[in-house]
Amino acid sequence: MKLRILIVEDDQSMSALLKRMMDPIRREFPKAEVDVVHNFEDAKRIIHGIPAPDIALMDLSLPPLRSSDTLNRLHEIENRCAIVVVTGHSPDEVRKILGARQIEIVH
């Protein structure tokens, strides 16, 4: 089985850091693929591709979308792969943005 990981981050230095953080996974799973994109539309295209990634590490703020817009569009991709939101927002800010959605916050 090939593990596919997608990093969705508009900040170049943060996307490079997240990709380096995947090195231990790639050592454990030599066939693992890690792709990086910098906007929601590219992420959506890859996630709807075949095969879809197994997991997406996604920034909450992806210009030109606001954080709430990104979350409102997650329904377009959320059934295709697991999504982990990576953000600099505080847990209280994330709860405010998410509203009534059920989520787990790791801080």
Side-chain angles (χ1 to χ4, degrees):
M1 177 185 153
K2 183 185 276 189
L3 178 65
R4 295 193 69 215
I5 301 167
L6 176 63
I7 296 170
V8 188
E9 171 60 63
D10 62 304
D11 182 274
Q12 300 285 333
S13 60
M14 182 59 120
S15 63
L17 174 65
L18 289 170
K19 188 169 185 177
R20 280 193 309 273
M21 290 174 69
M22 298 298 107
D23 287 346
I25 292 172
R26 288 193 300 216
R27 283 192 294 274
E28 185 71 25
F29 300 94
K31 293 183 180 181
E33 290 181 10
V34 178
D35 294 312
V36 177
V37 296
H38 303 288
N39 61 65
F40 186 84
E41 292 305 318
D42 287 344
K44 186 173 144 182
R45 179 181 48 77
I46 288 174
I47 288 170
H48 282 283
I50 297 177
D54 298 294
I55 188 167
L57 304 177
M58 179 174 282
D59 185 7
L60 193 55
S61 300
L62 293 167
L65 300 176
R66 294 186 323 253
S67 299
S68 58
D69 296 330
T70 301
L71 287 170
N72 288 334
R73 294 191 62 190
L74 284 181
H75 73 278
E76 298 175 24
I77 60 174
E78 65 188 345
N79 293 325
R80 298 281 299 161
C81 70
I83 298 170
V84 175
V85 174
V86 178
T87 183
H89 291 288
S90 73
D92 289 338
E93 289 174 306
V94 172
R95 284 185 192 92
K96 183 178 176 183
I97 293 166
L98 291 174
R101 291 191 175 125
Q102 294 294 318
I103 63 157
E104 294 288 331
I105 296 177
V106 179
H107 181 63

